Amino acid sequence: MTQPVQAVHEPGAVTSLEEHRARKGAPVSLVKPIPPGPSAAPPAADGAVVAPRVWVRGLRAARAACTDERTRTGARLVVRHGSYVLAGGGILARRTWDGHTAARYERMMRTAEAAGQHEAAAEWEERARRFRADRHSRRMELLTSAPRIAKSAAVGTGAGTAGLLLLGIVLAIAEGDITQVIGPVMAVIELIRWIVFIGTVVWGPLVTFAPWALLAGLWNVGRKRSAAPAWALPADQRSTEGEPITPSIVVQALRNLGVAALRSAIKEMEDAGAGMLGPIRIAGCGVEVDVTLPSGVSTDEVQNRRRKLAENLARHEHEVFVTIPEAARTVRLWIADSGALDEPIGPSPLVTDPTMTGDYKGGRAPWGQDLRGDAALISLLQRHLLITGLSNQGKTASLRALALWLALDPTVEFRIGDLKGVGDWKSFEGIATVLIEGPTDEHVAQVVDMVEEGVAEMERRIMAPAGTKFRPLILLVDEAQVAFMCPAMSEDNRPLDENGKPVGAADKRPLGGTKATSRYFQAARKLHNQGRAVDVLLWQGTQDPTDQNLPKLVREGAHVRASLVLGTESQARMALGDKAVEGGAAPHKLRQGLDKGTVVVAGDGVKLAPGQSSTTIRTHFIDDDAAGQIAERAKAARDGVTTLPAVEVGEERDHLADIAHVVGDAPKLLTQDVLKRLAALSGGTYGQWSFIDLKRALEGTGAEPYKSDGRMNVSRERLHRALTNRPESDSASAPA
């Protein structure tokens, strides 16, 4: 054997590239050679390189094969069709077992017992007893009929043989050939031989293909039931979105909700949880079902998992609503059809029915549709209203839809303060007696004056004799948060004495704020306390409710509280109250931008299901053009209403011109209404006027109040004549 030759290094021999370069005078490289990686094999003793390990390459190849899309597709194919066969076998076995035993009746009996339907359980028990009795009778008849069947077979065989012989005798006589006697018998024997021959030929293929036919039948049964796992189905069949809601789907969604007590209780139930469910009812564009939770599971645990429940039901979160009905330990699920809530609802009846009128006392405003597709009607009789939500979600449109319906009742008076000032309420010119539009501090001051004049009107009505009838007065403030957050102070509007000095102490209270000194806050609180009794109502629309821009006393004073989409649950509690949110109201779950005009309403003005504290309404959208048309119908039903602009107080007033202005186009106007309109025109000048002040202002002008039909009136014609005939020097009054 040849020994390997070992290199012998003589003194001075070059052993490396660095030494060689050093001897030649070349610069020495300081970079060390990179050591071989783990994949590189060490050199063998004979200088050969060892190949990479086989098992490393095998693992890489196996990993590539397993992660290949073709492999996964093939695995899904095998699992899918194998599941079809197994499930088909289970289904046929279960059908066979149910058909030959009373298991089906027992299962229905347990379900009825779990649901508390004892009469139905007794009926199923009676059916099971009759089934067992009939089955026993059939078996006993089979045992007693065996000898009779054998005797009948023997008699039939003998009779058949005799008949064949008789036929042979007839043929022999007719043919003159004695061999024809056994001809019919031989024909039958030959037929039997051919049957046996055909059977032996067919039997082989039959035995070969029968198992495959059985497998194909089982596969077809499983395929119709879609018994394969969802991940093994083809891509176009994996989505369950829009799948019809069935009891099994609801129970499975509850079982997989992540509540351990609920999951354990469903497993222990003999009916697999079906007894928890009430009937699944069609409710508008979805279905509704009541779920009685087992002991140890609270309604909060289901309500707080709304998103997971919706996903288990193959729905989006906004398509599932969880509310708490009257029954104890029960949740009511409303599950929308997939995509149904994204479809727009129809136009408002105010637009489609030009003959519709408003009725403050006995009518209900058509506001939209509830989730069940029914018309959502709201009563506005003696109800303060608050509607809130994020900006640009349809708050003003929803509020205006109610005001337009009520404007069709000519007995209702509107005074409107729009602190946005972009023309959303422009259509109410000629309907509202006061219309303020603008977001500045000056506009806030005018709105505060308007609301305080409403308080004064409320107090006058309260002090009026019993039985006095009043026209409903709606004080509507849109973007009320601007008023609450206004830092401006009241102006010095004190009257002046003969020397031009203010009389009395200055009123330097803030216009807005949430303290007891806030003028707007105090006026709103007073209206909420007593305005309902005399039909002086406050409607407010506000954005993004907080304790700073919507004080608790004000928001809780509204009889009807509605909210569009909000950002947080705490805001939802501010808008609707704790009771409504704990009962399932969730405006913070609505989708910003996609659920415009959808409001969650709490209060006694809307019809609520028993035990519910709120409802969700998809309001009708009425655009500016349609609103203008409805407003024209409302104006036609009214007698020349003049909309008064807000006028700065403390300036010189022409009393006669102001009186003529508020009378407007009406031939005559009651002195009481004249005083109201003057107060709305300038509260600082006319807010405290009485009939005596009005009579004194018109005295000597020829337009003094006169009695007509037992009531004092002011004539438009006399006022215009007085304005025309008065001297030029009397065209203005003294400073107010």
Side-chain angles (χ1 to χ4, degrees):
M1 183 176 180
T2 305
Q3 297 294 329
V5 179
Q6 296 184 0
V8 178
H9 298 282
E10 299 179 355
V14 178
T15 59
S16 65
L17 179 61
E18 286 76 6
E19 294 180 6
H20 176 73
R21 289 181 176 177
R23 292 187 178 183
K24 291 291 186 179
V28 179
S29 175
L30 300 179
V31 179
K32 296 183 179 180
I34 299 175
S39 61
D46 55 358
V49 178
V50 179
R53 295 180 180 178
V54 177
W55 64 272
V56 174
R57 291 187 297 174
L59 286 178
R60 291 176 180 172
R63 180 180 179 183
C66 293
T67 57
D68 189 80
E69 181 61 28
R70 290 171 294 182
T71 303
R72 288 186 288 182
T73 302
R76 284 196 294 265
L77 183 68
V78 172
V79 172
R80 179 168 70 249
H81 293 286
S83 300
Y84 288 163
V85 175
L86 294 176
I91 293 170
L92 289 181
R94 191 160 52 250
R95 288 176 181 175
T96 304
W97 178 257
D98 288 344
H100 290 79
T101 65
R104 173 179 50 184
Y105 301 98
E106 293 175 358
R107 186 166 58 250
M108 299 301 296
M109 183 172 58
R110 289 194 300 270
T111 302
E113 287 177 348
Q117 302 173 356
H118 301 292
E119 294 182 359
E123 182 180 352
W124 283 111
E125 184 178 10
E126 176 61 23
R127 291 185 180 182
R129 188 195 63 78
R130 289 201 301 266
F131 173 81
R132 294 189 185 96
D134 294 342
R135 183 180 59 186
H136 179 71
S137 298
R138 289 194 301 271
R139 290 174 178 174
M140 295 304 296
E141 289 178 0
L142 182 61
L143 292 175
T144 57
S145 62
R148 192 166 57 252
I149 293 174
K151 182 178 180 180
S152 299
V155 172
T157 302
T161 304
L164 292 174
L165 290 174
L166 181 61
L167 179 61
I169 294 172
V170 172
L171 290 174
I173 295 173
E175 297 291 336
D177 186 2
I178 191 62
T179 59
Q180 294 293 328
V181 173
I182 61 174
V185 176
M186 295 303 297
V188 172
I189 294 173
E190 185 68 15
L191 177 62
I192 294 173
R193 188 181 71 83
W194 276 104
I195 292 174
V196 172
F197 174 76
I198 294 173
T200 56
V201 173
V202 174
W203 180 255
L206 183 63
V207 171
T208 302
F209 292 107
W212 297 104
L214 177 61
L215 289 176
L218 297 178
W219 174 85
N220 188 50
V221 173
R223 181 184 60 84
K224 290 182 178 179
R225 290 291 187 92
S226 298
W231 60 268
L233 295 174
D236 57 344
Q237 299 179 14
R238 292 176 201 165
S239 176
T240 58
E241 185 175 354
E243 184 178 358
I245 299 300
T246 61
S248 60
I249 290 177
V250 177
V251 172
Q252 185 177 1
L254 293 170
R255 187 176 65 240
N256 298 332
L257 201 55
V259 182
L262 180 59
R263 185 180 185 89
S264 301
I266 292 176
K267 285 183 177 180
E268 294 173 359
M269 293 179 184
E270 294 183 353
D271 58 356
M276 297 191 307
L277 307 184
I280 297 179
R281 304 176 296 271
I282 295 177
C285 57
V287 296
E288 186 178 69
V289 58
D290 287 350
V291 181
T292 303
L293 301 176
S295 178
V297 182
S298 67
T299 55
D300 290 342
E301 292 179 286
V302 176
Q303 198 172 26
N304 294 336
R305 291 172 170 82
R306 175 182 169 187
R307 171 172 291 183
K308 189 170 185 179
L309 177 62
E311 292 173 351
N312 290 347
L313 293 168
R315 295 295 190 272
H316 298 290
E317 183 180 12
H318 71 277
E319 294 176 330
V320 175
F321 288 81
V322 184
T323 55
I324 311 298
E326 282 184 338
R329 215 172 65 244
T330 302
V331 293
R332 177 168 295 161
L333 306 181
W334 185 85
I335 308 162
D337 298 335
S338 184
L341 294 183
D342 295 329
E343 297 294 330
I345 63 174
S348 171
L350 293 174
V351 178
T352 58
D353 185 3
T355 63
M356 176 172 284
T357 58
D359 185 0
Y360 169 76
K361 292 186 177 181
R364 288 179 175 267
W367 207 8
Q369 293 181 2
D370 60 16
L371 296 178
R372 293 163 182 80
D374 300 329
L377 307 177
I378 178 171
S379 173
L380 302 173
L381 174 63
Q382 295 185 339
R383 289 179 172 90
H384 300 294
L385 178 68
L386 171 66
I387 182 169
T388 185
L390 298 180
S391 177
N392 194 31
Q393 298 302 307
K395 178 179 70 278
T396 299
S398 301
L399 187 60
R400 188 176 66 180
L402 296 178
L404 285 171
W405 177 82
L406 199 56
L408 294 174
D409 184 347
T411 65
V412 180
E413 178 185 355
F414 284 91
R415 298 180 187 177
I416 299 175
D418 177 16
L419 293 177
K420 184 189 297 182
V422 295
D424 290 332
W425 297 92
K426 186 65 69 176
S427 58
F428 275 76
E429 287 188 356
I431 298 176
T433 54
V434 175
L435 178 59
I436 303 167
E437 297 178 288
T440 66
D441 290 348
E442 289 75 12
H443 293 99
V444 172
Q446 295 166 11
V447 168
V448 171
D449 288 340
M450 180 190 77
V451 177
E452 288 181 337
E453 289 158 8
V455 174
E457 172 64 18
M458 174 192 72
E459 293 172 346
R460 283 195 294 268
R461 293 185 179 190
I462 292 175
M463 299 304 296
T468 305
K469 302 295 183 181
F470 303 105
R471 297 179 61 187
L473 173 60
I474 306 297
L475 303 170
L476 193 154
V477 181
D478 196 8
E479 305 296 340
Q481 79 279 354
V482 178
F484 279 114
M485 301 184 70
C486 179
M489 305 295 289
S490 299
E491 296 182 1
D492 192 354
N493 295 327
R494 290 176 293 172
L496 305 178
D497 59 12
E498 297 178 354
N499 299 322
K501 295 182 179 181
V503 178
D507 183 8
K508 299 302 290 182
R509 294 182 299 162
L511 297 176
T514 60
K515 297 182 179 180
T517 56
S518 168
R519 290 178 58 191
Y520 185 78
F521 170 67
Q522 286 297 325
R525 185 183 63 82
K526 291 177 181 179
L527 289 172
H528 281 168
N529 288 342
Q530 296 177 303
R532 173 181 178 274
V534 290
D535 291 320
V536 179
L537 305 176
L538 178 62
W539 290 9
Q540 297 181 95
T542 182
Q543 289 183 15
D544 197 13
T546 64
D547 285 328
Q548 288 71 37
N549 62 24
L550 189 60
K552 180 178 181 180
L553 290 178
V554 173
R555 63 179 183 252
E556 292 187 350
H559 302 100
V560 178
R561 299 167 69 174
S563 176
L564 293 102
V565 58
L566 291 173
T568 63
E569 182 179 341
S570 62
Q571 291 178 337
R573 291 182 181 274
M574 291 179 185
L576 301 178
D578 292 336
K579 180 181 178 181
V581 174
E582 291 171 359
H588 54 289
K589 297 292 187 180
L590 298 174
R591 300 167 298 169
Q592 185 174 358
L594 298 177
D595 289 326
K596 276 189 176 182
T598 299
V599 296
V600 183
V601 185
D604 60 351
V606 292
K607 184 178 180 181
L608 301 176
Q612 292 189 5
S613 56
S614 65
T615 186
T616 301
I617 297 175
R618 304 170 67 195
T619 61
H620 295 295
F621 174 70
I622 303 176
D623 59 25
D624 292 341
D625 293 338
Q629 296 174 4
I630 299 170
E632 291 300 324
R633 288 160 42 199
K635 295 173 188 176
R638 294 172 181 261
D639 187 14
V641 175
T642 302
T643 299
L644 305 178
V647 182
E648 294 291 338
V649 297
E651 60 182 350
E652 292 187 355
R653 309 293 312 185
D654 185 346
H655 298 317
L656 186 60
D658 286 346
I659 295 171
H661 177 72
V662 299
V663 171
D665 297 332
K668 61 182 179 179
L669 193 65
L670 294 175
T671 54
Q672 183 179 1
D673 292 337
V674 172
L675 291 172
K676 291 179 184 178
R677 295 187 179 187
L678 286 173
L681 177 64
S682 178
T685 303
Y686 303 113
Q688 302 300 324
W689 268 34
S690 65
F691 173 73
I692 299 301
D693 298 315
L694 177 63
K695 182 178 180 182
R696 186 182 298 115
L698 296 177
E699 190 173 0
T701 62
E704 295 85 352
Y706 67 96
K707 183 174 290 187
S708 175
D709 298 329
R711 305 184 70 178
M712 299 301 294
N713 292 266
V714 176
S715 170
R716 180 191 64 181
E717 183 180 354
R718 294 180 182 181
L719 287 170
H720 285 210
R721 188 185 306 119
L723 285 171
T724 303
N725 298 332
R726 72 176 178 177
E728 188 68 23
S729 59
D730 296 337
S731 60
S733 67

